[in-house]
Amino acid sequence: MRIETLIVGPLQTNAYIILDEASGEAAVVDPGASGLRISDAIEAAGATLKFILTTHGHADHTGGAFDLQRKAGGEYVVGEGDRGQIESPSSSLAAMIPGFANPPAIDRPVTGGEHLEIGDTRIFVIATPGHTPGSVCYLSGQALFTGDTLFQNSIGRYDLPGGDGDQELQSIRDNLLALPDQMIVYPGHGPSTTIGEERANNPFLQGV
Ligand SMILES: [Zn+2]
């Protein structure tokens, strides 16, 4: 399994391409903008897109999904709790994203506990409500894609519509900090980190 990172859109969202090299199948996490650029990168890798994975419904994580699916296909996977934000982007941050296109129809709603497969690579869905009601993280091997739930030295905002700070901390404590220290965290914005580093150093997680 190989991971490529593309930084897209005005909020510098990390769009991740997960490649299962043996099968040539791929998944994309959070195509926040520039769907065509992401589709070009998949084509350049000679890969077939199976899944477009959304960590949550905010526009800076979904703005490129329409173009990406139109060019490269793939099932659109969204946390059920964020269905409203996907289907009515006016309630999200869409106005901030130049060239924003409404996300495609949801092909596969998830609630946590499911897994998806690209070749022999399994991608597990972990429910982490708090930043939004339907926020999920995706785990594959040693890689954890955390969207706006967990960042290096920070956590996601919970003052946006549908956010809940207590729930967010509970999600991180019960479902993310329970993972091994060496797990690599790929957040929705900013640099990668590890669960161990965040457990030790993240100022928002001390004493939780
Ligand atoms: Zn967000």
Side-chain angles (χ1 to χ4, degrees):
M1 193 259 279
R2 186 157 64 87
I3 296 166
E4 285 184 24
T5 308
L6 286 82
I7 299 174
V8 299
L11 298 182
Q12 306 259 292
T13 304
N14 291 322
Y16 297 104
I17 303 173
I18 309 172
L19 285 165
D20 178 76
E21 291 159 297
S23 66
E25 291 181 344
V28 168
V29 181
D30 284 351
S34 305
L36 300 181
R37 205 177 114 213
I38 299 167
S39 124
D40 285 348
I42 292 167
E43 197 178 318
T48 304
L49 183 60
K50 268 193 86 177
F51 299 108
I52 300 171
L53 307 173
T54 302
T55 59
H56 65 289
H58 286 157
D60 59 318
H61 295 256
T62 65
F66 181 85
D67 279 347
L68 176 59
Q69 190 184 55
R70 183 168 59 79
K71 289 291 283 194
E75 278 186 60
Y76 192 42
V77 181
V78 173
E80 175 63 35
D82 281 5
R83 177 180 289 277
Q85 303 197 44
I86 296 292
E87 294 178 347
S88 305
S90 58
S91 70
S92 66
L93 312 171
M96 295 176 63
I97 310 296
F100 176 85
N102 284 354
I106 299 171
D107 296 308
R108 191 187 293 226
V110 292
T111 55
E114 302 91 344
H115 77 268
L116 308 164
E117 291 177 356
I118 50 170
D120 291 333
T121 298
R122 285 189 164 194
I123 302 171
F124 295 88
V125 183
I126 302 172
T128 52
H131 176 65
T132 63
S135 281
V136 296
C137 295
Y138 298 97
L139 185 155
S140 186
Q142 289 294 303
L144 176 69
F145 301 90
T146 57
D148 286 358
T149 295
L150 177 63
F151 303 114
Q152 183 187 55
N153 285 324
S154 190
I155 62 172
R157 294 174 60 164
Y158 42 79
D159 58 327
L160 300 168
D164 182 326
D166 292 338
Q167 197 180 37
E168 181 172 300
L169 278 173
Q170 188 182 342
S171 289
I172 294 170
R173 184 190 65 207
D174 294 350
N175 298 335
L176 301 186
L177 295 184
L179 296 168
D181 278 348
Q182 64 269 25
M183 183 70 64
I184 301 170
V185 173
Y186 293 91
H189 305 271
S192 303
T193 179
T194 65
I195 287 291
E197 281 181 40
E198 296 318 301
R199 192 196 313 282
N201 301 321
N202 191 315
F204 295 90
L205 303 182
Q206 304 310 307
V208 303

